[in-house]
């Protein structure tokens, strides 16, 4: 790969980070691996420069929330699930913006963020109820599958960008 092709490298890093996050599939526990994958994605956002400033901002706040969740969080019982939901919605926001940057704004791929928002919303609502734990887990698995779809799209963008230069 041409080392001067920063957009291609950015798509590759973000795609790999997204695939890694999807494979972790840990809805309740933010692990060090997830933080590492978020940092990997942030490096990709940085490589995209000015056009990725909103993505970089969302990713940075997401990283801060994940670091808070990794530490010992002393507070009300509802705070951790709320922070977790906020971090996941920030991930969704970065997915939406990255698809625009990569040029996936038409066709079935343009609807991907809307489709991914449904299981994420179900997860966030069900996550607060112990009775709906199974529903929350299922919704998170579906959201993880959507992250794999996103990873494939970014790897396609990587290949397209790599071949162009």
């Amino acid at each position: 790969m041409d080392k001067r092709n920063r957009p291609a490298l950015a798509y590759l890093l973000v795609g790999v980070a997204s695939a890694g996050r999807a494979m972790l599939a840990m809805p309740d526990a933010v692990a060090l691996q997830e933080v590492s994958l978020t940092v990997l994605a942030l490096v990709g956002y940085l490589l995209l420069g000015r056009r990725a400033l909103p993505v970089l901002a969302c990713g940075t706040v997401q990283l801060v929330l994940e670091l808070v969740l990794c530490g010992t969080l002393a507070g009300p019982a509802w705070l951790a699930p709320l922070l977790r939901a906020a971090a996941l919605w920030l991930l969704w926001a970065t997915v939406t913006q990255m698809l625009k940057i990569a040029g996936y704004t038409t066709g079935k791929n343009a609807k991907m963020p809307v489709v991914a928002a449904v299981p994420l919303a179900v997860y966030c609502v069900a996550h607060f109820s112990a009775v709906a734990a199974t529903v929350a887990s299922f919704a998170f698995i579906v959201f993880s599958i959507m992250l794999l779809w996103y990873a494939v799209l970014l790897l396609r963008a990587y290949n397209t960008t790599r071949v162009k230069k």
Side-chain angles (χ1 to χ4, degrees), residues 57-92:
C58 287
T60 303
V61 175
Q62 177 188 349
L63 178 64
V64 169
L65 289 175
E66 289 172 359
L67 288 171
V68 168
L69 286 167
C70 278
T72 54
L73 186 64
W78 55 266
L79 185 58
L82 184 66
L83 292 177
R84 180 68 175 143
L88 288 171
W89 279 107
L90 285 168
L91 173 63
W92 178 84

Side-chain angles (χ1 to χ4, degrees), residues 97-121:
Q97 290 299 314
M98 280 300 295
L99 288 174
K100 288 179 185 174
I101 292 170
Y104 290 107
T105 56
T106 60
K108 65 180 178 182
N109 294 324
K111 296 176 185 170
M112 184 261 201
V114 176
V115 173
V118 174
L120 182 56

Side-chain angles (χ1 to χ4, degrees), residues 4-19:
R4 292 171 285 155
N5 193 343
R6 292 171 59 168
L9 180 59
Y11 295 139
L12 178 64
L13 291 174
V14 176
V16 168
S18 179

Side-chain angles (χ1 to χ4, degrees), residues 7-163:
L9 180 59
Y11 295 139
L12 178 64
L13 291 174
V14 176
V16 168
S18 179
R21 288 182 67 93
M23 294 300 185
L24 288 176
M26 297 179 305
D28 294 327
V30 177
L32 189 56
Q33 295 90 344
E34 191 171 16
V35 171
S36 299
L37 291 167
T38 302
V39 170
L40 183 66
L42 280 172
V43 171
Y45 305 152
L46 282 170
L47 289 172
L48 288 172
R50 289 186 182 190
R51 62 185 169 165
L53 286 179
V55 178
L56 184 61
C58 287
T60 303
V61 175
Q62 177 188 349
L63 178 64
V64 169
L65 289 175
E66 289 172 359
L67 288 171
V68 168
L69 286 167
C70 278
T72 54
L73 186 64
W78 55 266
L79 185 58
L82 184 66
L83 292 177
R84 180 68 175 143
L88 288 171
W89 279 107
L90 285 168
L91 173 63
W92 178 84
T94 62
V95 166
T96 303
Q97 290 299 314
M98 280 300 295
L99 288 174
K100 288 179 185 174
I101 292 170
Y104 290 107
T105 56
T106 60
K108 65 180 178 182
N109 294 324
K111 296 176 185 170
M112 184 261 201
V114 176
V115 173
V118 174
L120 182 56
V122 170
Y123 167 76
C124 290
V125 170
H127 187 64
F128 286 99
S129 170
V131 178
T134 304
V135 173
S137 295
F138 180 74
F140 193 81
I141 290 169
V142 173
F143 180 70
S144 294
I145 291 168
M146 298 304 295
L147 281 179
L148 285 175
W149 183 12
Y150 169 64
V152 167
L153 291 177
L154 284 183
L155 293 176
R156 280 186 192 164
Y158 155 73
N159 193 41
T160 302
T161 307
R162 181 183 59 84
V163 170

